[in-house]
């Protein structure tokens, strides 16, 4: 998720259900807010230049 709150809650729920190999990105997708500007440019997946897309590609989706 964007700032980590929802993913942290989901990871805790899954752990409570017995899942033992779940992961949560500590810095979230957008990272922490810069103390001067307030913009989320300090760290995080996107700001580190790691790969992501916002395009819906059926080849990259999980279909149960």
């Amino acid at each position: 998720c964007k700032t980590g709150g929802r993913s942290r809650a989901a990871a805790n729920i899954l752990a409570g259900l017995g899942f033992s190999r779940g992961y949560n990105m500590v810095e979230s997708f957008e990272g922490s807010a810069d103390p001067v500007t307030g913009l989320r440019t300090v760290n995080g997946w996107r700001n580190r230049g790691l790969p992501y897309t916002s395009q819906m590609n059926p080849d990259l989706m999980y279909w149960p």
Side-chain angles (χ1 to χ4, degrees):
C1 82
K2 185 175 177 181
T3 60
R6 290 175 296 224
S7 63
R8 182 175 41 255
N12 288 335
I13 289 169
L14 291 171
L17 292 172
F19 288 86
S20 60
R21 294 186 62 174
Y23 301 90
N24 183 46
M25 295 186 307
V26 174
E27 295 178 351
S28 70
F29 180 73
E30 289 202 347
S32 303
D34 181 282
V36 175
T37 66
L39 299 174
R40 294 189 172 276
T41 58
V42 177
N43 50 25
W45 188 273
R46 183 179 66 178
N47 295 317
R48 293 190 184 281
L50 297 169
Y52 72 94
T53 183
S54 58
Q55 302 298 312
M56 299 295 283
N57 181 343
D59 294 334
L60 300 175
M61 296 178 188
Y62 171 71
W63 300 95

